[in-house]
Amino acid sequence: MGSITFWGLSASPYQLKMQSLADFAQLPWQRLPDQGSLLQSLALLRRLRKAQRKTTVLRFPSHDADMDEYPAVPYYTLDGKTLYYDSSGLAQHLDTLGHGSQSLLPEKGAQRFLCKFIDEAFDEFGLYMVHHNRWVTSAHTNKMGKTTADEMAHWLPAAVKRNIARKLSERQCRRLPYLFSVAPPGLNCGVDNAITPPERAGFPATHVLLDQAWRKYLAAIEHILSRQPYLLGQRFTLADASAYGQLGMNLPDGMAAELIQELAPRTYQWLNMINSGEHRGCHGDLEITDTLTPLLEIITDTFIPLMQQNEAAYEAALQRGQNLFNEAAFEHGEALYDGELLGLPFRSVVKSFQVVTWRELCEEWCALSPDARLEITKQFPFIRSSLFSSVTT
């Protein structure tokens, strides 16, 4: 295998994450539809749609997909034939195939678990913060509707692309409450109504919650990078890829990027460094130190309770006979539950794919050796074994 082909968009944090993984492994890549011809793009899209219909798009390593769902983007193929999804799975895939001089997932138990812990936190909760930053914080300044339209259909007439850009922006704004960002009543951002961040009847406003959480995550990353070049030490790992994908998503967004540069200048430089591929093939040792404490604390205060509340709500919904979840249920006002993060209320829909993520992480914790669990809980006492007691484990 000499290269990797992505089907995705630069607006996706998971696409950025995948690109950074491929760069670290020094594996050439191409992103369709933006970087390919019309014929290349249509051929890959046909293969993807056929594989989706037959449910033959794979995740590495393989797993029970009953509670999961295919994303809109991104996907990848290593041979031009078999298609895969899941950005974290790509890291394991590249490690298994021996790409890169050092692994993206650490081999040592405690390091490996914390790498996955950070990765999943950014994938699941980080998405809410950066999507909020794009369409709320940067409501006046982001250009991602136009950028995405250009990438999706760079061969179409300008008038058609403008229409696509407008519809994409309107759609992403409508999705804000599904992605945890609910506006307070009467919010006026000074933009068109169609792209004004919406409130939702019966849902508590969550802008303050997301703004507070994002600033704490950003401060924690800045703290780490003031002492070492990457999150787990001297080299790039899956944890860095996930943090980069989510935070780096906001680099083109104007106001959000300016805030990152103001609040966390080292982090801003770090994101741009990875974006330019300067982390390719980097070498160095990994080490668990107290430098990680602020980041692991905010993850423990946000990601863990969100996953626990979502799983409990999933089990309760099953008992009621509910079988529709995720965005489809949200649009029907079904499978909703009330929760609390950072002392602030929220309302969300049960997300079955997050149940999968959480249970897999709990299984990882249970599979750790007693010495590895002790290493983590001794250095970070706020991380307790009881936190990883999934309903089914």
Side-chain angles (χ1 to χ4, degrees):
M1 181 189 69
S3 65
I4 184 169
T5 300
F6 296 112
W7 179 265
L9 301 163
S10 64
S12 164
Y14 305 109
Q15 177 63 47
L16 298 180
K17 176 182 171 183
M18 283 186 168
Q19 291 173 190
S20 74
L21 292 169
D23 283 341
F24 172 77
Q26 298 180 292
L27 185 64
W29 53 266
Q30 181 184 34
R31 186 183 68 245
L32 300 181
D34 181 43
Q35 297 175 346
S37 69
L38 176 59
L39 289 178
Q40 279 181 301
S41 299
L42 290 177
L44 183 58
L45 181 60
R46 281 196 296 269
R47 287 199 296 274
L48 175 59
R49 294 291 180 256
K50 182 178 179 181
Q52 287 174 326
R53 288 194 302 271
K54 294 186 174 182
T55 64
T56 57
V57 184
L58 305 179
R59 180 173 171 231
F60 188 94
S62 60
H63 75 303
D64 182 357
D66 288 347
M67 293 164 60
D68 210 348
E69 63 179 11
Y70 290 147
V73 290
Y75 294 86
Y76 69 94
T77 177
L78 301 170
D79 60 7
K81 299 176 182 178
T82 306
L83 287 152
Y84 296 87
Y85 74 105
D86 189 70
S87 56
S88 299
L90 174 59
Q92 298 183 66
H93 208 164
L94 294 178
D95 281 351
T96 300
L97 294 172
H99 283 278
S101 57
Q102 291 188 287
S103 61
L104 286 155
L105 272 163
E107 296 179 3
K108 294 181 180 179
Q111 292 179 357
R112 189 178 183 89
F113 177 81
L114 289 178
C115 183
K116 288 188 175 183
F117 184 47
I118 295 168
D119 167 53
E120 298 294 8
F122 274 101
D123 274 2
E124 301 301 337
F125 186 70
L127 176 67
Y128 297 159
M129 296 186 292
V130 299
H131 193 83
H132 170 83
N133 273 336
R134 169 161 290 168
W135 299 104
V136 179
T137 305
S138 301
H140 292 87
T141 57
N142 89 73
K143 301 175 182 178
M144 293 316 295
K146 180 182 182 304
T147 301
T148 300
D150 287 343
E151 291 181 9
M152 288 177 63
H154 54 81
W155 50 80
L156 292 178
V160 175
K161 286 192 288 187
R162 284 195 296 271
N163 185 53
I164 293 173
R166 178 177 57 80
K167 289 184 178 297
L168 284 170
S169 296
E170 292 173 359
R171 177 181 181 273
Q172 290 303 90
C173 286
R174 286 196 304 271
R175 295 182 73 234
L176 277 167
Y178 170 68
L179 293 173
F180 220 78
S181 178
V182 180
L187 178 69
N188 183 358
C189 290
V191 294
D192 291 344
N193 288 337
I195 56 171
T196 294
E199 57 187 282
R200 191 173 178 98
F203 282 59
T206 57
H207 286 192
V208 171
L209 190 166
L210 289 170
D211 287 338
Q212 288 182 359
W214 181 72
R215 286 171 179 260
K216 290 182 178 181
Y217 272 84
L218 205 57
I221 297 291
E222 187 76 356
H223 173 75
I224 294 171
L225 297 180
S226 71
R227 302 187 181 189
Q228 58 197 44
Y230 295 99
L231 299 187
L232 297 181
Q234 299 303 308
R235 69 171 179 85
F236 186 86
T237 67
L238 174 61
D240 298 285
S242 193
Y244 160 71
Q246 299 296 341
L247 297 175
M249 169 184 150
N250 291 139
L251 287 178
D253 289 338
M255 179 60 74
E258 291 172 12
L259 275 174
I260 295 173
Q261 188 171 19
E262 175 188 342
L263 298 172
R266 291 185 185 87
T267 303
Y268 181 78
Q269 293 174 358
W270 182 79
L271 294 171
N272 280 286
M273 178 270 294
I274 296 174
N275 186 55
S276 66
E278 295 175 36
H279 65 297
R280 285 185 178 93
C282 63
H283 291 74
D285 295 329
L286 302 178
E287 185 180 10
I288 297 175
T289 70
D290 61 3
T291 303
L292 280 174
T293 297
L295 179 58
L296 296 180
E297 283 181 334
I298 187 58
I299 289 174
T300 301
D301 288 343
T302 53
F303 168 68
I304 288 182
L306 178 63
M307 295 298 102
Q308 290 172 329
Q309 291 171 86
N310 180 71
E311 185 185 35
Y314 173 75
E315 290 296 327
L318 288 181
Q319 292 296 317
R320 299 193 304 268
Q322 178 73 35
N323 57 18
L324 186 66
F325 301 103
N326 307 320
E327 196 158 8
F330 185 78
E331 293 303 321
H332 287 85
E334 297 180 22
L336 303 177
Y337 71 97
D338 294 305
E340 182 178 291
L341 291 178
L342 301 178
L344 296 169
F346 71 85
R347 175 170 287 181
S348 187
V349 67
V350 172
K351 295 174 181 173
S352 60
F353 58 86
Q354 287 187 339
V355 175
V356 174
T357 294
W358 178 238
R359 289 178 177 175
E360 288 179 350
L361 193 63
C362 290
E363 289 170 3
E364 291 273 351
W365 176 264
C366 292
L368 285 174
S369 69
D371 287 345
R373 285 198 295 270
L374 180 61
E375 181 181 354
I376 293 172
T377 56
K378 185 176 181 180
Q379 188 153 15
F380 310 107
F382 50 88
I383 298 179
R384 306 180 305 278
S385 289
S386 60
L387 295 175
F388 299 101
S389 54
S390 171
V391 170
T392 60
T393 59

